Amino acid sequence: MGTLASTATPAIADRAALRDFYEDYAACLDAEDFAAFPDFFTDDTLYQVISRENHDAGLRHAPIYCSSRAMIVDRLMALKEAALYQPRSLRHFISGVRITGEEGAELHAQANFLIVESLLEQDPQVLMVGRYLDRIVRTTEGLRFAERSCVYDNYRIRTTLVIPV
């Protein structure tokens, strides 16, 4: 009897790999493994956390905007070395993962996200809800984000946005 991987069509295998990639991404952030976080991106990546209104209007203003992997590393270094914020834990829930297009070694994908934040001595609250819009490339090291737009639906950001989405 063959394994699922050996009998799966390429589309099913791509979708399974994409789901694993997204789940690894969420686990990295939930564990606050910021040293590993840049490894999810290509060197010339675009990573942004942007409101739905600005995204839909084609505006570029975003609370987090990094136009390269080096900018992501710099942001994480500042988070580690300089930022003061109340200790918190986050849980990322990702659903509705789907491939919306494919061009050679690139996948276009999107998924819904929900991030729940727990602060010390407070009840957990929804931090952010929205969708990921991604351009992902296949590399020899595995899947990597060439572009990740975290488009949030919140009317406003309830607390300081310090940790990547």
Side-chain angles (χ1 to χ4, degrees), residues 138-154:
R138 296 175 183 97
T139 70
T140 55
E141 294 83 30
L143 298 177
R144 297 293 181 265
F145 293 112
E147 189 173 313
R148 171 153 261 209
S149 293
C150 309
V151 181
Y152 60 89
D153 295 330
N154 305 45

Side-chain angles (χ1 to χ4, degrees), residues 36-93:
F37 182 73
D39 296 338
F40 286 91
F41 298 88
T42 62
D43 287 339
D44 60 347
T45 195
L46 170 63
Y47 172 70
Q48 64 179 343
V49 179
I50 187 168
S51 70
R52 182 183 58 200
E53 292 80 11
N54 283 355
H55 177 269
D56 291 353
L59 301 174
R60 294 181 52 152
H61 176 72
I64 297 177
Y65 185 89
C66 299
S67 60
S68 69
R69 185 177 184 275
M71 286 182 74
I72 293 171
V73 170
D74 284 348
R75 180 175 177 84
L76 294 171
M77 183 63 68
L79 174 66
K80 180 181 172 186
E81 300 294 328
L84 299 174
Y85 61 93
Q86 184 177 4
R88 65 195 69 215
S89 63
L90 301 176
R91 293 290 171 246
H92 291 69
F93 299 91

Side-chain angles (χ1 to χ4, degrees), residues 15 17-23 25-26 48 50 55 92-101 107-115 128-136 145 147-153 165:
R15 190 166 177 179
L18 181 62
R19 285 183 180 189
D20 286 347
F21 182 61
Y22 280 179
E23 288 174 7
Y25 176 92
Q48 64 179 343
I50 187 168
H55 177 269
H92 291 69
F93 299 91
I94 301 173
S95 68
V97 175
R98 53 192 196 110
I99 296 171
T100 57
L107 294 174
H108 296 261
Q110 72 177 51
N112 301 319
F113 69 83
L114 170 73
I115 305 170
M128 192 171 281
V129 63
R131 62 191 164 132
Y132 294 126
L133 301 175
D134 299 316
R135 189 168 54 88
I136 299 165
F145 293 112
E147 189 173 313
R148 171 153 261 209
S149 293
C150 309
V151 181
Y152 60 89
D153 295 330
V165 173

